[in-house]
Amino acid sequence: MTENKMTLTVDAISINVGFTRSVVAAFVSQLNPTVEEVGDIKTAVSEAITNCVVHAYSNNGGQAQIKVAVKGKIVEIEIVDYGQGIDDVAKAMQPFFTSSYCEERSGMGFTVMQAMMDTLDVTSSLGVGTTVKMTKKITSSVEV
Amino acid sequence: MEVISKREADKTVIYLLGELDNHNSAYARSKMDALLEDVGTNIVIFDLKLLSFMDSTGIGVLIGRYKKMKDTLQMFVRNPNKTIDKIFQMAGLYQVFSKV
């Protein structure tokens, strides 16, 4: 099985959300995914990085690390922040739950990640940070 | 991203162009509000043909516009790409923005 990986560290600021999802999409393109599969992965990454910007660091900046590995036809993505952490992960993952109602936030970030990817695992510690792990199988891919 | 409007008979079509995420949501929100305030028709269609990307930030932006204008406007959506269509379905957005 062919394996390849990359790590990217960015400032968790909103202008880097688009940059990060584009980098991940470019890396994943080696698996020949469909346009829809790339769209799904970009959306999930965008949600995770936006959470870092808005929730982990409350728009005050910080660092986010993005690790991507392709193993055969499987894409593994891990996004780590060192921000304030999530008090109750299960509650945060409920559809339409948001801690920022005044900003027109939908509270659908984790729900969208779950829908776009095959697996989603979130671990968090208050004052330490949050790690989001996601995987997706690229069904259309030709193994190289 | 950009937001423009065009009149189509008795409807106003608001085109969202580019990528809608947290970074440009404030601009999208204010531009859409300005266009909707001055719309001149009772029916508005959001055309997403040229919207290449939208994450859940877009859900909040669209629901926010719906809440502001629902008493005076009928709002519809058309031409979402497959990923955006998936987001609309999971968020129940088609219940307030019928697809035309």
Side-chain angles (χ1 to χ4, degrees):
Chain A
M1 188 195 332
T2 306
E3 191 171 331
N4 190 12
K5 49 188 180 293
M6 60 150 276
T7 300
L8 171 71
T9 302
V10 293
D11 286 342
I13 55 177
S14 72
I15 198 168
N16 284 339
V17 173
F19 167 73
T20 303
R21 65 174 177 259
S22 296
V23 169
V24 174
F27 186 74
V28 167
S29 69
Q30 64 194 280
L31 295 181
N32 300 319
T34 62
V35 171
E36 189 177 354
E37 286 168 335
V38 173
D40 290 353
I41 290 169
K42 285 177 76 174
T43 305
V45 169
S46 195
E47 300 293 352
I49 295 293
T50 300
N51 278 353
C52 298
V53 174
V54 175
H55 299 295
Y57 296 116
S58 302
N59 293 303
N60 293 314
Q63 282 208 320
Q65 191 173 54
I66 300 94
K67 298 175 185 174
V68 186
V70 293
K71 296 177 179 174
K73 296 181 178 182
I74 306 291
V75 179
E76 296 179 355
I77 300 171
E78 182 177 317
I79 295 175
V80 181
D81 71 65
Y82 311 97
Q84 64 180 359
I86 302 168
D87 183 27
D88 185 339
V89 171
K91 190 176 176 185
M93 291 179 75
Q94 288 174 2
F96 301 107
F97 172 82
T98 179
S99 54
S100 328
Y101 287 100
C102 57
E103 297 170 22
E104 289 189 351
R105 302 221 163 267
S106 67
M108 290 293 284
F110 283 125
T111 306
V112 169
M113 284 183 237
Q114 274 174 325
M116 300 294 171
M117 304 295 283
D118 296 334
T119 68
L120 172 68
D121 179 58
V122 182
T123 55
S124 191
S125 296
L126 280 180
V128 177
T130 300
T131 298
V132 173
K133 292 181 181 177
M134 308 181 276
T135 66
K136 188 176 183 73
K137 185 175 184 182
I138 303 301
T139 55
S140 58
S141 148
V142 177
E143 195 164 346
V144 289
Chain B
M1 90 153 304
E2 196 46 84
V3 184
I4 59 172
S5 72
K6 282 186 182 174
R7 189 76 173 260
E8 278 185 13
D10 60 342
K11 305 170 187 69
T12 299
V13 181
I14 295 182
Y15 293 88
L16 306 185
L17 294 80
E19 302 194 333
L20 175 53
D21 65 10
N22 180 63
H23 184 61
N24 49 37
S25 61
Y27 173 76
R29 196 176 286 127
S30 66
K31 195 77 193 281
M32 289 163 81
D33 280 346
L35 292 172
L36 289 168
E37 288 287 339
D38 213 13
V39 75
T41 63
N42 295 323
I43 297 173
V44 169
I45 301 171
F46 291 100
D47 192 315
L48 309 184
K49 187 178 182 181
L50 299 173
L51 187 66
S52 56
F53 179 85
M54 182 187 102
D55 61 19
S56 70
T57 304
I59 301 171
V61 170
L62 287 166
I63 291 290
R65 310 291 66 73
Y66 171 77
K67 284 180 177 172
K68 282 184 88 161
M69 305 304 291
K70 65 179 178 182
D71 293 335
T72 53
L73 294 176
Q74 275 186 284
M75 289 180 259
F76 301 89
V77 68
R78 72 185 185 195
N79 297 325
N81 68 30
K82 282 184 178 177
T83 303
I84 294 174
D85 181 65
K86 212 183 282 186
I87 291 171
F88 265 70
Q89 288 185 41
M90 81 179 69
L93 279 178
Y94 288 131
Q95 290 172 31
V96 290
F97 298 95
S98 296
K99 197 171 171 183
V100 291

